[in-house]
Amino acid sequence: YKFSYKQIAEITGKTTDIYGVASALVTLFLAASGLGAIPTLLTLILGGLRDLQITMILENVKKNASGGIKLTINKVEITKHQGGRIVKGVGYKLGGISTYK
């Protein structure tokens, strides 16, 4: 999923911080994917943003610069042993986060 700096700025306004950008990305991702709330998604995205040049991202959001942020979210099957039974579920992991021009 690709989200432009302009889309992020429309949600956060021109004055924002890393938490505002992460929250905007969660909102945009959930709207684009059609998925319901994913409780750990904000934490995953925050962790991924910390690996990027956040100062540059914040400046680009303020300027509505061209480009944006690309997110890859992977759906994974989770298997747990609970009460002597095997319980399967679905989880989501951050596959990657990067910027694009």
Side-chain angles (χ1 to χ4, degrees), residues 1-20:
Y1 297 89
K2 288 184 176 181
F3 304 109
S4 70
Y5 293 123
K6 183 178 179 180
Q7 288 175 295
I8 296 167
E10 287 173 356
I11 293 173
T12 64
K14 303 254 181 176
T15 56
T16 189
D17 59 10
I18 187 172
Y19 302 104

Side-chain angles (χ1 to χ4, degrees), residues 15-51:
T15 56
T16 189
D17 59 10
I18 187 172
Y19 302 104
V21 171
S23 296
L25 289 172
V26 169
T27 301
L28 291 166
F29 172 76
L30 293 177
S33 68
L35 296 172
I38 302 171
T40 60
L41 191 56
L42 181 61
T43 306
L44 294 173
I45 291 174
L46 270 172
L49 284 173
R50 292 185 193 282
D51 294 338

Side-chain angles (χ1 to χ4, degrees), residues 65-85:
S66 62
I69 298 175
K70 179 180 174 184
L71 283 178
T72 305
I73 307 290
N74 297 326
K75 183 177 178 180
V76 295
E77 186 175 295
I78 299 169
T79 304
K80 295 194 271 185
H81 295 277
Q82 193 171 16
R85 296 177 38 212

